[in-house]
Amino acid sequence: MTIEMLYSKIHRATVTDANLNYVGSITIDEELLEASKMRVGQKVEILNINNGERFSTYIILGERGKRDICLNGAAARKVHKGDKIIVVAYATYDERELENYKPRVVLLNDENNIDAIHEEI
Protein backbone atom coordinates (compact mmCIF):
# COMPACT_ATOMS: atom_id res chain seq x y z
CA MET A 1 0.00 0.00 0.00
CA THR A 2 1.13 3.54 -0.69
CA ILE A 3 0.00 6.67 1.11
CA GLU A 4 0.20 10.28 -0.08
CA MET A 5 1.82 12.34 2.68
CA LEU A 6 3.17 15.83 3.25
CA TYR A 7 6.67 15.95 1.76
CA SER A 8 7.52 19.57 2.48
CA LYS A 9 5.97 22.95 3.13
CA ILE A 10 6.99 26.58 3.20
CA HIS A 11 4.86 28.09 5.95
CA ARG A 12 3.59 31.71 6.04
CA ALA A 13 5.45 33.00 3.00
CA THR A 14 4.61 36.59 2.08
CA VAL A 15 3.56 37.08 -1.55
CA THR A 16 5.99 39.62 -3.03
CA ASP A 17 4.28 39.96 -6.42
CA ALA A 18 1.39 38.69 -8.54
CA ASN A 19 2.13 38.80 -12.27
CA LEU A 20 -0.95 38.13 -14.40
CA ASN A 21 0.90 38.53 -17.73
CA TYR A 22 3.25 35.59 -17.28
CA VAL A 23 3.10 31.89 -18.03
CA GLY A 24 1.51 30.34 -14.92
CA SER A 25 3.46 29.10 -11.92
CA ILE A 26 4.93 30.23 -8.62
CA THR A 27 8.39 31.78 -8.50
CA ILE A 28 10.26 30.79 -5.32
CA ASP A 29 13.69 32.04 -4.20
CA GLU A 30 16.37 29.41 -4.82
CA GLU A 31 17.50 29.38 -1.17
CA LEU A 32 13.94 28.69 0.01
CA LEU A 33 13.66 25.85 -2.51
CA GLU A 34 16.87 24.29 -1.21
CA ALA A 35 15.77 24.64 2.41
CA SER A 36 12.41 23.01 1.65
CA LYS A 37 13.88 20.32 -0.64
CA MET A 38 11.36 21.30 -3.30
CA ARG A 39 12.31 21.25 -6.97
CA VAL A 40 11.82 23.38 -10.05
CA GLY A 41 8.84 22.05 -12.00
CA GLN A 42 7.38 20.27 -8.98
CA LYS A 43 3.61 20.42 -8.50
CA VAL A 44 2.64 22.27 -5.33
CA GLU A 45 -0.56 23.31 -3.64
CA ILE A 46 -0.92 26.94 -2.58
CA LEU A 47 -3.02 27.74 0.50
CA ASN A 48 -3.84 31.44 0.86
CA ILE A 49 -4.20 32.26 4.55
CA ASN A 50 -5.78 35.66 3.80
CA ASN A 51 -8.68 34.55 1.61
CA GLY A 52 -8.91 30.75 1.92
CA GLU A 53 -8.06 30.04 -1.74
CA ARG A 54 -6.46 26.65 -2.44
CA PHE A 55 -5.01 25.85 -5.85
CA SER A 56 -2.23 23.92 -7.57
CA THR A 57 0.61 25.11 -9.77
CA TYR A 58 4.27 24.29 -10.39
CA ILE A 59 7.54 25.87 -9.22
CA ILE A 60 9.88 28.03 -11.25
CA LEU A 61 13.26 29.19 -9.99
CA GLY A 62 13.56 32.59 -8.33
CA GLU A 63 16.75 34.54 -7.89
CA ARG A 64 18.84 33.43 -4.90
CA GLY A 65 18.60 35.77 -1.92
CA LYS A 66 15.79 38.01 -3.23
CA ARG A 67 13.16 36.17 -1.14
CA ASP A 68 10.66 36.35 -4.00
CA ILE A 69 7.36 34.52 -3.74
CA CYS A 70 5.51 35.51 -6.90
CA LEU A 71 2.34 33.97 -8.29
CA ASN A 72 2.19 34.12 -12.08
CA GLY A 73 -0.47 33.78 -14.75
CA ALA A 74 -3.97 32.72 -13.69
CA ALA A 75 -2.75 32.07 -10.13
CA ALA A 76 -2.07 35.81 -9.80
CA ARG A 77 -5.84 36.34 -9.57
CA LYS A 78 -5.99 34.24 -6.38
CA VAL A 79 -3.54 36.31 -4.31
CA HIS A 80 -2.58 39.89 -3.56
CA LYS A 81 0.86 41.25 -2.82
CA GLY A 82 1.37 40.92 0.94
CA ASP A 83 -0.90 37.87 1.36
CA LYS A 84 0.38 35.06 3.56
CA ILE A 85 0.49 31.66 1.87
CA ILE A 86 1.57 28.11 2.58
CA VAL A 87 3.28 26.19 -0.22
CA VAL A 88 2.71 22.45 0.18
CA ALA A 89 4.30 19.52 -1.65
CA TYR A 90 3.15 15.93 -1.27
CA ALA A 91 4.83 12.63 -2.10
CA THR A 92 3.74 9.01 -2.17
CA TYR A 93 5.37 6.69 0.35
CA ASP A 94 5.11 2.98 0.95
CA GLU A 95 4.74 1.64 4.47
CA ARG A 96 8.47 0.87 4.84
CA GLU A 97 9.41 4.44 3.91
CA LEU A 98 7.02 5.76 6.53
CA GLU A 99 9.07 4.14 9.30
CA ASN A 100 11.61 6.98 8.84
CA TYR A 101 9.17 9.59 7.52
CA LYS A 102 10.15 13.18 8.32
CA PRO A 103 8.48 15.97 6.35
CA ARG A 104 10.40 19.23 5.93
CA VAL A 105 8.69 22.35 7.33
CA VAL A 106 10.30 25.74 6.61
CA LEU A 107 8.92 28.58 8.75
CA LEU A 108 9.34 32.09 7.35
CA ASN A 109 9.13 35.55 8.88
CA ASP A 110 7.39 38.54 7.27
CA GLU A 111 10.40 39.24 5.01
CA ASN A 112 10.52 35.61 3.77
CA ASN A 113 13.66 34.89 5.76
CA ILE A 114 13.88 31.46 7.35
CA ASP A 115 12.99 31.48 11.05
CA ALA A 116 13.25 27.72 11.55
CA ILE A 117 13.37 24.38 9.76
CA HIS A 118 11.67 21.37 11.30
CA GLU A 119 11.46 17.76 10.23
CA GLU A 120 8.08 17.12 11.79
CA ILE A 121 4.51 18.31 11.47
Side-chain angles (χ1 to χ4, degrees):
M1 175 172 68
T2 60
I3 302 171
E4 190 171 12
M5 302 286 289
L6 173 68
Y7 167 74
S8 180
K9 77 174 180 173
I10 300 173
H11 191 74
R12 295 190 61 82
T14 303
V15 174
T16 58
D17 199 7
N19 185 351
L20 185 60
N21 297 312
Y22 192 87
V23 177
S25 56
I26 182 170
T27 303
I28 301 177
D29 178 295
E30 185 175 18
E31 290 177 18
L32 300 178
L33 283 181
E34 288 173 358
S36 68
K37 296 185 178 180
M38 292 182 194
R39 294 168 171 78
V40 172
Q42 184 173 9
K43 180 182 178 181
V44 289
E45 188 172 355
I46 309 301
L47 316 175
N48 188 325
I49 295 168
N50 292 74
N51 65 19
E53 288 278 0
R54 296 174 73 102
F55 56 94
S56 298
T57 190
Y58 63 92
I59 298 170
I60 62 172
L61 185 63
E63 188 175 330
R64 178 178 285 278
K66 287 191 70 179
R67 297 300 184 251
D68 286 338
I69 299 289
C70 178
L71 279 298
N72 303 298
R77 292 208 183 269
K78 297 186 174 284
V79 299
H80 291 95
K81 187 175 178 180
D83 281 359
K84 293 290 186 183
I85 63 170
I86 302 169
V87 181
V88 181
Y90 300 98
T92 303
Y93 299 86
D94 65 35
E95 290 187 27
R96 285 175 305 174
E97 292 171 308
L98 289 174
E99 291 174 13
N100 297 312
Y101 169 71
K102 292 183 180 178
R104 175 65 61 105
V105 177
V106 179
L107 305 173
L108 301 185
N109 66 18
D110 289 340
E111 291 77 38
N112 289 337
N113 291 309
I114 298 169
D115 270 349
I117 299 174
H118 299 285
E119 290 193 340
E120 60 188 4
I121 297 176

